[in-house]
């Protein structure tokens, strides 16, 4: 019972925050060349996402995930110690999540 209430409350807060952030992003004044209304800006954002996931760019996006998100190679070149710290934190938390939170599903 408490788990269900906490789950739905946290999901509601997350969706509310996501809606608020997207609304702020669509209504921000970023310059004279930006489309005027929220609808035009939302359409431009969806068109940009669709273009990024087109067949020509899908390989680039697919290669970007392991390189920039999982391995965080953009931190390795300028700051190797910062990269090592991020790797330890990221993989430690990822393994903690996989092995502890999903214990019933994995083991």
């Amino acid at each position: 019972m408490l788990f269900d209430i906490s789950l739905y409350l946290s999901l509601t807060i997350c969706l509310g925050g996501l809606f608020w952030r997207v609304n702020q992003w669509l209504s921000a004044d970023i310059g004279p060349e930006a489309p005027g209304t929220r609808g035009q800006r939302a359409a431009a954002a969806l068109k940009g996402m669709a273009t990024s996931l087109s067949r020509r760019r899908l390989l680039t996006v697919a290669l970007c995930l392991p390189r920039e998100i999982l391995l965080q190679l953009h931190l390795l070149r300028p700051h190797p110690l910062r990269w090592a710290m991020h790797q330890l934190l990221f993989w430690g938390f990822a393994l903690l999540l996989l092995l502890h939170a999903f214990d019933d599903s994995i083991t």
Side-chain angles (χ1 to χ4, degrees):
M1 172 92 174
L2 180 63
F3 177 77
D4 292 337
I5 292 171
S6 300
L7 175 67
Y8 291 125
L9 180 64
S10 64
L11 286 175
T12 303
I13 291 171
C14 177
L15 290 175
L18 183 65
F19 177 75
W20 179 77
R21 178 53 74 185
V22 168
N23 186 32
Q24 291 294 317
W25 178 68
L26 290 175
S27 63
D29 184 23
I30 57 172
E33 70 278 351
T37 66
R38 288 182 188 175
Q40 289 172 335
R41 293 180 75 176
L46 290 174
K47 181 182 175 188
M49 284 189 280
T51 303
S52 295
L53 297 176
S54 67
R55 288 186 185 208
R56 290 180 289 162
R57 295 189 181 172
L58 189 59
L59 182 62
T60 304
V61 172
L63 291 175
C64 183
L65 176 71
R67 185 179 62 230
E68 297 297 326
I69 296 175
L70 298 178
L71 295 176
Q72 301 175 0
L73 292 180
H74 60 280
L75 293 176
L76 178 61
R77 294 177 195 98
H79 304 285
L81 188 60
R82 184 181 293 178
W83 174 81
M85 185 235 3
H86 275 92
Q87 288 299 297
L88 290 172
L89 286 170
F90 176 77
W91 289 109
F93 181 75
L95 289 174
L96 176 70
L97 180 69
L98 286 173
L99 297 177
H100 181 69
F102 299 133
D103 184 42
D104 295 336
S105 302
I106 293 177
T107 59

